[in-house]
Amino acid sequence: MTTPASQPELFELSNGSMKVKITNLGCTITSLEVPDKNGNLADVVLGFDSIEPYQKGLAPYFGCIVGRVANRIKDGKFSLEGVEYTLPLNRPPNSLHGGNKGFDKMVWEVAQQTQGQTPSITFKYHSRDGEEGYPGDLAVTATYSLISNTTLKLEMEAVPDKKATPVSLAQHTYWNLAGHSHGTILDHSIQIWGSHVTPVDQNTLPTGEILSVKGTPFDFTAEKRIGASIHEVEGPGYDHNYVLQQDGNGDQKYSGLRLAAKLREPSSGRAMALWTNAPGMQFYTANNVNGIAGKGGANYGKHSAVCLETQGFPNAVNQPNFPSVIVQPGHKYQHAMVFEFSAE
């Protein structure tokens, strides 16, 4: 068992083409610079200039890894192997993203860091039995690596020790491919390789249904402007889990991963393809971001970014028809994603 790291620090991965800054506080991406069609670098993630605002809880999950269970759990309750567990209701009436002090608010230990053409950094965290109400000890690792000129990979693993537990981690970066301070993402276009969503109630909790997107504002099976139908969505914007296609879409470029989404920004020409092995993806248009003072004096408002959070389905612990997020002792949870940037 490892002793927890004491201080949050900032680390950099750079390969000459792109540059990523990450803090071991929540494994948070604080900055990610990639070139546009003219070769100009811009930082395409929302965040803060220093670690302090993250420590103060000013970020609405900017850039971090959330867990032990991402997204919402109904009434903060679930039963497992005959025991009922109660979690903090940090987003009443539900529990969200692991509770009051989820993995995003923990200082992780740096287990390994490598430099060179494919630089990487591995963080690890030991979650205790009973932490935020969850059962059993859980050993977690997260490795960020630059696997090619403009491609970032994240691999997350978690192994429960003596008790079964739900595990569903997500990477919660807020993307704006024009640059973090460039206004809304309504003119970005996106294609999502998912023809169904899990509809939600008034508290953004899935009802348990699995609904075809055909003929709805949720249909991004063909590339479409994010702002095209957003006014037709009940509520302030998109904040919905997509059921990702499980068949081989794309050419299996990355072993075991499928193409989940492709995001494009017309003025810069930047595009980002997202690959994952997760069953779901939360598509969130920063509906609740409201006047946050960000990096370099930027003011982040509503729809100033988009989150593409690959995940297990929200509230899967209470929905038997959703893919299970329970991991047995000694078994390994594995969740990988690739962010492949280009400029066109």
Side-chain angles (χ1 to χ4, degrees):
M1 205 165 68
T2 59
T3 51
S6 53
Q7 279 307 107
E9 295 174 62
L10 206 53
F11 303 89
E12 188 176 294
L13 299 179
S14 178
N15 61 6
S17 301
M18 69 182 292
K19 188 161 68 176
V20 186
K21 290 181 181 168
I22 306 163
T23 171
N24 57 330
L25 176 65
C27 296
T28 300
I29 296 173
T30 63
S31 164
L32 189 151
E33 294 183 10
V34 284
D36 67 5
K37 60 190 175 190
N38 300 315
N40 299 317
L41 288 176
D43 183 356
V44 296
V45 305
L46 272 56
F48 300 112
D49 287 318
S50 68
I51 295 173
E52 194 183 10
Y54 297 96
Q55 290 175 297
K56 287 181 174 171
L58 300 181
Y61 302 102
F62 283 165
C64 59
I65 289 177
V66 292
R68 184 176 298 197
V69 174
N71 220 301
R72 289 158 181 83
I73 293 178
K74 183 178 169 66
D75 301 330
K77 286 188 165 52
F78 67 93
S79 290
L80 182 56
E81 297 179 349
V83 180
E84 182 164 284
Y85 294 92
T86 303
L87 315 171
L89 303 181
N90 60 316
R91 187 62 60 87
N94 303 310
S95 190
L96 176 70
H97 290 332
N100 292 323
K101 198 174 180 190
F103 292 1
D104 63 297
K105 295 176 181 67
M106 301 301 186
V107 178
W108 297 46
E109 184 189 346
V110 179
Q112 194 175 10
Q113 186 173 15
T114 65
Q115 306 292 348
Q117 268 310 102
T118 52
S120 70
I121 188 163
T122 299
F123 300 101
K124 60 181 177 181
Y125 176 65
H126 193 98
S127 179
R128 300 274 186 271
D129 183 16
E131 183 177 297
E132 293 298 302
Y134 287 96
D137 281 43
L138 185 72
V140 191
T141 62
T143 300
Y144 290 99
S145 50
L146 301 186
I147 59 171
S148 77
N149 278 357
T150 52
T151 305
L152 171 70
K153 186 174 191 180
L154 170 60
E155 297 165 283
M156 301 186 284
E157 295 186 348
V159 179
D161 184 17
K162 295 185 176 67
K163 293 182 188 174
T165 181
V167 182
S168 176
L169 309 181
Q171 215 298 337
H172 209 305
T173 290
Y174 285 68
W175 304 99
N176 186 324
L177 296 184
H180 73 96
S181 58
H182 279 247
T184 81
I185 44 74
L186 298 178
D187 283 334
H188 283 53
S189 62
I190 194 168
Q191 184 174 1
I192 298 175
W193 276 261
S195 55
H196 292 77
V197 289
T198 51
V200 293
D201 65 14
Q202 71 277 15
N203 297 310
T204 326
L205 184 90
T207 59
E209 300 165 88
I210 291 176
L211 183 77
S212 169
V213 298
K214 198 170 178 155
T216 76
F218 301 102
D219 190 349
F220 290 95
T221 51
E223 186 178 334
K224 187 173 84 175
R225 220 177 117 258
I226 290 176
S229 315
I230 198 167
H231 56 282
E232 297 170 37
V233 178
E234 204 172 308
Y238 295 100
D239 194 1
H240 297 76
N241 172 60
Y242 278 71
V243 179
L244 297 176
Q245 283 181 17
Q246 297 302 302
D247 54 2
N249 48 47
D251 53 7
Q252 290 295 305
K253 187 181 205 173
Y254 302 104
S255 177
L257 306 189
R258 297 171 311 277
L259 192 52
K262 186 156 190 186
L263 183 68
R264 294 179 203 266
E265 198 284 310
S267 63
S268 66
R270 287 190 190 89
M272 180 180 83
L274 171 60
W275 302 69
T276 188
N277 62 348
M281 181 188 78
Q282 193 80 4
F283 175 50
Y284 173 54
T285 48
N287 312 321
N288 304 317
V289 174
N290 180 11
I292 296 177
K295 287 180 275 197
N299 186 292
Y300 302 142
K302 184 178 178 181
H303 304 323
S304 56
V306 59
C307 301
L308 304 170
E309 308 155 54
T310 64
Q311 61 181 4
F313 293 6
N315 196 38
V317 282
N318 294 309
Q319 290 290 357
N321 61 318
F322 286 1
S324 174
V325 293
I326 304 301
V327 185
Q328 296 296 329
H331 288 231
K332 187 184 284 186
Y333 164 90
Q334 291 179 301
H335 180 181
M337 64 203 72
V338 165
F339 303 94
E340 187 180 44
F341 297 91
S342 57
E344 300 159 2

